[in-house]
Amino acid sequence: MSNRKIQMPREVYIDPGIIKDTAMICKSLHLDEKILIVTGAHTFDIGAKPVIESLENENIEYDVIKVNNASYDSISEVEELITPQTCVLGVGGGKVIDVAKLSSFNQGVYFVSMPTTASHDGIVSPMASIKNPNTSISVNAHSPIAVIADSEVLAQSPFRLLAAGCADLIANFTAIKDWELAHRLKNEQFSESAAALSIMSAHLITDNVANIKPNLEPSARIVMKSLFSGGMAISIAGSSRPASGSEHLFSHALDKILDKPALHGEQCGIGTIMMMYLHGGDWKAIRDSLKAVQAPTTAKEVGISEDDIIDALVMAHEIRPERYTILGDNGISKEAAHELAQKTGVI
């Protein structure tokens, strides 16, 4: 029997206007001795400012640091400001939250996740995606002690980010198929409960595509709840398997090839269409769901060349050789990649 610990947030708030209650939530969790707000240049005004106001009203001591990217340099800068009494608040998008998550983990202090966009499932998961010079890697960190997601703030973020979050969740469908395949062919450990939660999170999106629209608070709340449950599936599995398969390998390959990649969720969504085709599943339903939430379904829509799509497909299996997927140990040929991208309308 496994004694592996499953980490979950202690408290989760997904509500309009909840950002104004940040200080009270920190007090209730006894995290109010010293706060370090990690934010970004763009998210300072919409996220950090109301947090600062809330902390000042309750006379809670705080520091602020702005980070530009999810790199080890940024993490080092944040770690220098952390003391044993500090609680780290990550207020921003995916990069900010990953830096707050990993720096707090390295220093052994609590972390509160406060997303300003609902663009990917790293908001609650115990994994962080950190940029190396030419690629990004997933590293183990810890789950936030609390999640404070203001659905009004999320609804105000660019709709492209929300659509990318939807696409990242739709990618769970192929991630689970890949995980089941690895379980059958490689005897990889598989969690039925994590897989079921992951699929439920994806269905929350595909069943609600008609309700996901720009600048609507209820839309942002649906996506955030789905990202939350998807992140919980990762916590239960103890790995990113429930949310990351061949479609993510394809996206990571694009990250390596391109000078300016598209959004993570957008690339994963396009990858999901093609990987579902390889699995013999209903790839057209995937494509239609992505279209319904205004996520891209073709290379042209995200400004990626046909050659780069094909190169990424050919190289994807090399990204994480230990992670078995539908791409197999040897990947697919250039000819097969071209046919796959063409048949699914990606190119």
Side-chain angles (χ1 to χ4, degrees):
M1 183 177 145
S2 166
N3 292 318
R4 190 183 57 73
K5 172 170 76 173
I6 296 174
Q7 281 195 337
M8 302 273 182
R10 194 183 297 174
E11 293 184 5
V12 178
Y13 301 85
I14 304 172
D15 288 299
I18 194 70
I19 201 164
K20 294 174 187 140
D21 297 335
T22 302
M24 299 310 293
I25 294 166
C26 289
K27 276 189 162 181
S28 73
L29 290 163
H30 306 291
L31 303 173
D32 55 338
E33 198 168 332
K34 175 111 189 274
I35 300 284
L36 175 60
I37 299 167
V38 181
T39 191
H42 298 304
T43 51
F44 180 81
D45 286 341
I46 56 162
K49 269 189 179 171
V51 169
I52 289 167
E53 201 177 310
S54 175
L55 297 177
E56 285 180 347
N57 287 341
E58 295 295 324
N59 299 313
I60 296 173
E61 193 187 334
Y62 68 88
D63 262 333
V64 181
I65 181 169
K66 293 178 186 175
V67 297
N68 297 320
N69 49 35
S71 65
Y72 283 106
D73 287 345
S74 297
I75 289 160
S76 298
E77 283 172 34
V78 173
E79 283 183 38
E80 280 174 25
L81 299 174
I82 295 174
T83 69
Q85 289 74 41
T86 303
C87 170
V88 178
L89 262 60
V91 185
K95 295 183 184 79
V96 164
I97 283 172
D98 282 336
V99 170
K101 189 189 295 183
L102 197 55
S103 55
S104 60
F105 172 70
N106 290 344
Q107 295 300 309
V109 299
Y110 286 123
F111 147 66
V112 175
S113 178
M114 298 189 67
T116 54
T117 63
S119 57
H120 72 71
D121 54 22
I123 290 159
V124 290
S125 79
M127 315 288 293
S129 181
I130 305 299
K131 282 264 183 261
N132 266 355
N134 63 342
T135 183
S136 56
I137 53 163
S138 279
V139 290
N140 288 316
H142 57 178
S143 287
I145 188 166
V147 178
I148 306 172
D150 191 314
S151 45
E152 276 175 359
V153 171
L154 296 172
Q156 285 162 25
S157 72
F159 188 67
R160 183 186 173 193
L161 297 172
L162 199 73
C166 293
D168 201 16
L169 283 157
I170 290 168
N172 291 8
F173 287 121
T174 44
I176 295 300
K177 284 188 178 291
D178 283 326
W179 195 15
E180 287 170 335
L181 193 66
H183 176 60
R184 288 198 302 271
L185 298 184
K186 302 283 184 178
N187 201 28
E188 189 178 314
Q189 203 169 2
F190 182 78
S191 164
E192 296 281 356
S193 54
L197 189 53
S198 173
I199 292 295
M200 184 204 81
S201 307
H203 274 299
L204 265 174
I205 299 301
T206 55
D207 294 349
N208 278 293
V209 289
N211 302 320
I212 297 169
K213 294 186 172 73
N215 305 316
L216 276 184
E217 182 274 327
S219 297
R221 206 173 338 153
I222 290 169
V223 180
M224 186 60 223
K225 284 181 175 176
S226 309
L227 290 170
F228 171 71
S229 54
M232 288 297 87
I234 295 170
S235 292
I236 292 166
S239 88
S240 58
R241 260 301 194 182
S244 175
S246 49
E247 73 301 316
H248 272 65
L249 298 180
F250 164 74
S251 176
H252 292 319
L254 282 174
D255 290 342
K256 275 190 131 162
I257 291 166
L258 301 171
D259 292 331
K260 279 199 77 177
L263 294 175
H264 167 78
E266 292 176 336
Q267 294 181 169
C268 290
I270 289 169
T272 304
I273 299 169
M274 295 187 286
M275 300 311 153
M276 189 58 90
Y277 177 91
L278 291 180
H279 275 290
D282 191 350
W283 63 271
K284 288 179 180 172
I286 298 290
R287 180 198 61 195
D288 294 346
S289 292
L290 290 167
K291 278 184 178 174
V293 295
Q294 298 177 40
T297 59
T298 69
K300 195 176 179 182
E301 285 174 281
V302 282
I304 297 174
S305 75
E306 295 188 3
D307 287 347
D308 286 339
I309 292 283
I310 290 155
D311 288 348
L313 284 169
V314 170
M315 137 191 200
H317 72 287
E318 297 168 6
I319 300 290
R320 294 188 70 173
E322 79 288 354
R323 178 156 289 190
Y324 190 80
T325 70
I326 191 69
L327 297 169
D329 292 321
N330 301 313
I332 60 174
S333 70
K334 209 162 189 170
E335 295 74 29
H338 190 272
E339 193 178 335
L340 168 62
Q342 220 167 24
K343 272 193 172 163
T344 51
V346 169
I347 65 171

Short mmCIF file of all heavy atoms in Angstrom, two decimals, residues 38-40 42-44 46-48 89-97 113-119 123 154:
data_model
loop_
_atom_site.label_atom_id
_atom_site.label_comp_id
_atom_site.label_asym_id
_atom_site.label_seq_id
_atom_site.Cartn_x
_atom_site.Cartn_y
_atom_site.Cartn_z
N VAL A 38 3.83 38.12 -4.73
CA VAL A 38 4.55 37.91 -5.99
C VAL A 38 3.55 38.19 -7.11
O VAL A 38 2.48 37.58 -7.17
CB VAL A 38 5.09 36.47 -6.10
CG1 VAL A 38 5.86 36.29 -7.42
CG2 VAL A 38 6.00 36.14 -4.92
N THR A 39 3.88 39.14 -7.97
CA THR A 39 2.94 39.52 -9.04
C THR A 39 3.72 39.86 -10.30
O THR A 39 4.94 39.67 -10.35
CB THR A 39 2.04 40.70 -8.55
OG1 THR A 39 0.99 40.90 -9.48
CG2 THR A 39 2.83 41.98 -8.36
N GLY A 40 3.02 40.32 -11.31
CA GLY A 40 3.67 40.68 -12.58
C GLY A 40 3.36 42.12 -12.94
O GLY A 40 2.49 42.77 -12.32
N HIS A 42 1.79 43.31 -15.51
CA HIS A 42 0.42 43.48 -16.02
C HIS A 42 -0.62 43.20 -14.95
O HIS A 42 -1.71 43.74 -14.98
CB HIS A 42 0.17 42.55 -17.21
CG HIS A 42 1.05 42.84 -18.38
ND1 HIS A 42 1.12 44.08 -18.97
CD2 HIS A 42 1.93 42.05 -19.07
CE1 HIS A 42 1.98 44.05 -19.97
NE2 HIS A 42 2.49 42.84 -20.04
N THR A 43 -0.28 42.33 -14.00
CA THR A 43 -1.29 41.90 -13.02
C THR A 43 -1.24 42.71 -11.73
O THR A 43 -2.08 42.52 -10.86
CB THR A 43 -1.13 40.40 -12.70
OG1 THR A 43 0.24 40.15 -12.34
CG2 THR A 43 -1.49 39.55 -13.89
N PHE A 44 -0.28 43.64 -11.64
CA PHE A 44 -0.17 44.45 -10.43
C PHE A 44 -1.45 45.26 -10.19
O PHE A 44 -2.03 45.24 -9.12
CB PHE A 44 1.06 45.38 -10.49
CG PHE A 44 1.20 46.24 -9.27
CD1 PHE A 44 1.77 45.72 -8.12
CD2 PHE A 44 0.73 47.55 -9.25
CE1 PHE A 44 1.89 46.51 -6.97
CE2 PHE A 44 0.84 48.34 -8.11
CZ PHE A 44 1.43 47.81 -6.96
N ILE A 46 -4.59 45.02 -11.59
CA ILE A 46 -5.90 44.33 -11.44
C ILE A 46 -5.92 43.37 -10.26
O ILE A 46 -6.97 43.13 -9.68
CB ILE A 46 -6.31 43.57 -12.73
CG1 ILE A 46 -5.23 42.57 -13.16
CG2 ILE A 46 -6.67 44.51 -13.84
CD1 ILE A 46 -5.76 41.53 -14.12
N GLY A 47 -4.75 42.84 -9.87
CA GLY A 47 -4.73 41.84 -8.81
C GLY A 47 -4.06 42.31 -7.53
O GLY A 47 -4.66 42.27 -6.45
N ALA A 48 -2.82 42.76 -7.65
CA ALA A 48 -2.05 43.09 -6.43
C ALA A 48 -2.59 44.31 -5.70
O ALA A 48 -2.60 44.35 -4.47
CB ALA A 48 -0.57 43.28 -6.78
N LEU A 89 2.03 35.06 -1.47
CA LEU A 89 0.80 35.17 -2.26
C LEU A 89 1.18 35.33 -3.72
O LEU A 89 1.82 36.31 -4.09
CB LEU A 89 -0.01 36.41 -1.83
CG LEU A 89 -1.17 36.22 -0.84
CD1 LEU A 89 -0.67 35.63 0.45
CD2 LEU A 89 -1.86 37.54 -0.57
N GLY A 90 0.82 34.37 -4.55
CA GLY A 90 1.05 34.47 -5.98
C GLY A 90 -0.15 35.12 -6.63
O GLY A 90 -1.21 34.48 -6.73
N VAL A 91 -0.03 36.38 -7.04
CA VAL A 91 -1.17 37.13 -7.60
C VAL A 91 -0.88 37.42 -9.06
O VAL A 91 -0.15 38.36 -9.40
CB VAL A 91 -1.39 38.46 -6.82
CG1 VAL A 91 -2.65 39.16 -7.33
CG2 VAL A 91 -1.47 38.22 -5.33
N GLY A 92 -1.42 36.61 -9.96
CA GLY A 92 -1.15 36.83 -11.38
C GLY A 92 -1.51 35.63 -12.23
O GLY A 92 -2.34 34.80 -11.85
N GLY A 93 -0.85 35.54 -13.38
CA GLY A 93 -1.09 34.44 -14.31
C GLY A 93 -0.22 33.23 -13.98
O GLY A 93 0.38 33.16 -12.90
N GLY A 94 -0.10 32.33 -14.95
CA GLY A 94 0.60 31.07 -14.72
C GLY A 94 2.04 31.22 -14.30
O GLY A 94 2.52 30.54 -13.39
N LYS A 95 2.78 32.13 -14.94
CA LYS A 95 4.20 32.30 -14.64
C LYS A 95 4.40 32.77 -13.20
O LYS A 95 5.25 32.26 -12.47
CB LYS A 95 4.84 33.32 -15.60
CG LYS A 95 4.88 32.88 -17.06
CD LYS A 95 5.61 33.93 -17.91
CE LYS A 95 5.58 33.56 -19.38
NZ LYS A 95 4.31 33.87 -20.03
N VAL A 96 3.61 33.76 -12.81
CA VAL A 96 3.69 34.31 -11.45
C VAL A 96 3.39 33.21 -10.42
O VAL A 96 4.12 33.05 -9.43
CB VAL A 96 2.70 35.49 -11.28
CG1 VAL A 96 2.47 35.82 -9.82
CG2 VAL A 96 3.22 36.71 -12.03
N ILE A 97 2.34 32.45 -10.67
CA ILE A 97 1.94 31.41 -9.71
C ILE A 97 2.99 30.31 -9.63
O ILE A 97 3.31 29.82 -8.54
CB ILE A 97 0.53 30.90 -10.04
CG1 ILE A 97 -0.48 31.95 -9.56
CG2 ILE A 97 0.25 29.54 -9.41
CD1 ILE A 97 -1.90 31.73 -9.95
N SER A 113 -2.56 30.75 -3.70
CA SER A 113 -2.69 30.95 -5.15
C SER A 113 -3.84 31.91 -5.42
O SER A 113 -4.98 31.65 -5.04
CB SER A 113 -2.95 29.60 -5.82
OG SER A 113 -3.12 29.75 -7.20
N MET A 114 -3.51 33.04 -6.08
CA MET A 114 -4.52 34.04 -6.41
C MET A 114 -4.46 34.34 -7.91
O MET A 114 -3.82 35.31 -8.34
CB MET A 114 -4.30 35.31 -5.58
CG MET A 114 -4.42 35.07 -4.08
SD MET A 114 -4.42 36.60 -3.13
CE MET A 114 -5.96 37.34 -3.65
N PRO A 115 -5.10 33.51 -8.74
CA PRO A 115 -5.01 33.69 -10.19
C PRO A 115 -5.78 34.92 -10.68
O PRO A 115 -6.87 35.22 -10.18
CB PRO A 115 -5.65 32.41 -10.74
CG PRO A 115 -6.60 31.98 -9.66
CD PRO A 115 -5.96 32.38 -8.35
N THR A 116 -5.19 35.62 -11.65
CA THR A 116 -5.90 36.73 -12.31
C THR A 116 -6.37 36.31 -13.70
O THR A 116 -7.07 37.06 -14.37
CB THR A 116 -4.99 37.96 -12.43
OG1 THR A 116 -3.78 37.58 -13.08
CG2 THR A 116 -4.67 38.54 -11.06
N THR A 117 -5.94 35.12 -14.15
CA THR A 117 -6.42 34.54 -15.41
C THR A 117 -6.70 33.06 -15.17
O THR A 117 -6.07 32.44 -14.31
CB THR A 117 -5.38 34.64 -16.54
OG1 THR A 117 -4.23 33.87 -16.17
CG2 THR A 117 -4.97 36.06 -16.81
N ALA A 118 -7.63 32.51 -15.94
CA ALA A 118 -7.92 31.08 -15.83
C ALA A 118 -7.39 30.41 -17.10
O ALA A 118 -8.14 29.92 -17.93
CB ALA A 118 -9.43 30.87 -15.68
N SER A 119 -6.07 30.43 -17.25
CA SER A 119 -5.49 29.99 -18.52
C SER A 119 -4.87 28.60 -18.49
O SER A 119 -4.58 28.03 -19.53
CB SER A 119 -4.45 31.01 -19.02
OG SER A 119 -3.45 31.19 -18.05
N ILE A 123 -2.85 26.33 -11.41
CA ILE A 123 -3.33 27.20 -10.33
C ILE A 123 -3.38 26.47 -8.99
O ILE A 123 -3.08 27.04 -7.95
CB ILE A 123 -4.71 27.78 -10.71
CG1 ILE A 123 -4.55 28.79 -11.86
CG2 ILE A 123 -5.41 28.42 -9.53
CD1 ILE A 123 -5.82 29.05 -12.65
N LEU A 154 -11.16 37.39 -12.99
CA LEU A 154 -10.90 36.41 -14.05
C LEU A 154 -11.69 36.75 -15.31
O LEU A 154 -11.18 36.62 -16.42
CB LEU A 154 -11.27 34.99 -13.57
CG LEU A 154 -10.47 34.42 -12.41
CD1 LEU A 154 -11.07 33.11 -11.94
CD2 LEU A 154 -9.00 34.23 -12.77
#
